[in-house]
Amino acid sequence: MINGDLNIFLDLMKRGEELIFTYRGQKFFLEGINDPIKDEGGLCLCRWEPPLDKYVWQGTPTKEKYFDIEEFCNAKLFDGKSFWEIEPEVEWVDC
């Protein structure tokens, strides 16, 4: 991970914090979203640049205290690659 510590990034992801990162000229926004009515939440990924008008990915809702980051990290969202595969090229831009 460029400009950040991967372990801190993963810990913040697990807590549902808002994270902004870039990969190959694209800027992404990852956040945890809670639905208090259903008492569940999940991770959601948006692409900010180039603009996209909807979520790129939404995780499976869960009632757990922390977000399941494995689902996100293993999903093939980035040119057919997982977050684990692209991590060396990811730049954390909000740290």
Side-chain angles (χ1 to χ4, degrees):
M1 175 163 285
I2 303 165
N3 291 335
D5 181 282
L6 177 61
N7 291 321
I8 294 171
F9 189 87
L10 294 172
D11 185 55
L12 293 173
M13 187 189 311
K14 191 180 292 185
R15 297 171 188 267
E17 298 287 330
E18 296 178 347
L19 297 166
I20 302 166
F21 63 93
T22 62
Y23 169 68
R24 294 190 176 175
Q26 299 175 79
K27 185 179 281 186
F28 294 93
F29 176 69
L30 180 68
E31 66 176 332
I33 296 179
N34 289 306
D35 183 340
I37 295 171
K38 294 181 179 179
D39 190 30
E40 62 187 23
L43 290 174
C44 296
L45 179 69
C46 292
R47 186 175 63 214
W48 279 357
E49 293 175 11
L52 187 70
D53 60 359
K54 61 182 177 178
Y55 288 114
V56 174
W57 175 86
Q58 288 183 294
T60 305
T62 179
K63 294 180 186 275
E64 299 298 317
K65 180 178 178 184
Y66 294 104
F67 296 96
D68 181 7
I69 64 172
E70 288 303 314
E71 183 182 4
F72 168 75
C73 290
N74 291 319
K76 303 286 186 175
L77 304 172
F78 307 95
D79 302 324
K81 297 178 182 177
S82 71
F83 180 80
W84 295 126
E85 293 170 300
I86 67 157
E87 179 271 323
E89 296 180 61
V90 168
E91 181 176 7
W92 186 3
V93 295
D94 67 339
C95 62

